[in-house]
Amino acid sequence: MKVTIKEVRTKRDLRKFVHFPNVLYKNNPYYVPQIESMDRDTLTPSKNHAFEVCEGKYWLAFDEKGHVVGRVAGIINHRYNEKVGEKICRFGWIDFIDHRDVSEALMHAVEAYAKEKGMNVVSGPTGFLEFDAAGILVEGFDQLPTAYGKYNDPYYEYHLWALGYRKEVDFVEYRILVPEVIPERYARMAKLVSEKYNLRQAPLLKHSDINLYVDGIFQCMNAAYSSLHGFSELTPGQCEDLKKQFLSNVNVDFLSIILDADDKVVGFGVAMPSLSKAMQKANGKLFPFGFVHVLKALKHNDTLDLLLIAIDEHYQNKGVNAMIFDKFAQGITKNGIKYIESTRELEDNTDVQNLWRLFNHTIHKRARVYRKNI
């Protein structure tokens, strides 16, 4: 196949770039379209504070008839590279038809960009930040992704392997069945930890109460996530972006903020009712009716997506997770939640996985990040 690679330079190109997977997976029952306007904002330097520490380029692949047959982004996170002492070019937003010429042309574009910028490693798929979707799905092709995951067909893995990419790290996702009665052990443990370390739940009676703790949440996150794969310290602008993305629609029933004796945030957890089916109905568009499906899903749902959990290093491995989950448990019971979905987490993140060790749970999705020296 004759493949033409074109760099994305115009708003029209960017629209094609964002829209392509919605065409590729149009009839796939497991594909969850992202909201296209939000995806465009993420990829636009003037609308994403990640570009304070990142740079990137995007490419589209066209066939002989001028049809889009693939896409990919090349990203350099300078802050992360400085932290780990490596010259890494990330790739992300990768989708393509099942044809070797297409995947090869796309990845060659990324590798050429990486060499041009003096990089010697290509790694991905990842995004600008840890909070962008990461990994190629390698298990769970018959499972519905969370709204913060990403679907792809099985052939992606074979293409990357053929191009010399090898496993760097895996992310896993769990599906947890909520029992009719949540074990009292969580509440007892939460009480013991609270009393032993003089910790307490922040009083969140209404959504505006969150504003009192936002700065502390991001300070805690920067410290707790500092050693995680792909994470670099968040700038104030990036914190504002995440505040809009995650905290604007949070139900206080599914937000736990742990305070010490001095009212410092030493841990937090954020969950949200699943938006996957709502986003399928929205089909990439918030307007005119997409937002209605999203609002309904936020209010009436039987599935909860776990988004973020972070604990200050001085309180890790001391049972603070139990306090966070005890707050979730109260919201789960109040709102009639039957299932919990973990979003993608590192396969060796046992601290988080221990939260539901007493529940019926199973790994039902796995995504892989690859690496290649160039």
Side-chain angles (χ1 to χ4, degrees), residues 117-145:
K117 291 293 182 177
M119 304 295 109
N120 53 31
V121 173
V122 176
S123 172
T126 52
F128 298 97
L129 304 176
E130 177 72 12
F131 309 102
D132 297 319
I136 289 292
L137 190 68
V138 294
E139 295 176 13
F141 300 104
D142 59 348
Q143 301 292 318
L144 190 67

Side-chain angles (χ1 to χ4, degrees), residues 282-350:
N283 196 30
K285 310 290 183 183
L286 275 180
F287 301 99
F289 303 115
F291 76 97
V292 175
H293 300 300
V294 172
L295 290 177
K296 286 182 178 179
L298 290 172
K299 293 181 179 180
H300 305 287
N301 214 307
D302 67 353
T303 302
L304 187 71
D305 288 349
L306 296 178
L307 303 184
L308 301 172
I309 292 180
I311 297 173
D312 184 281
E313 61 178 349
H314 297 101
Y315 291 93
Q316 291 176 7
N317 302 314
K318 293 183 177 180
V320 177
N321 276 343
M323 291 185 66
I324 293 172
F325 190 76
D326 184 51
K327 173 66 184 295
F328 286 169
Q330 296 171 40
I332 286 168
T333 301
K334 176 182 175 182
N335 292 273
I337 298 297
K338 297 180 180 179
Y339 306 98
I340 300 173
E341 287 271 355
S342 72
T343 48
R344 291 180 180 178
E345 60 193 46
L346 290 168
E347 61 183 335
D348 59 356
N349 190 351
T350 55

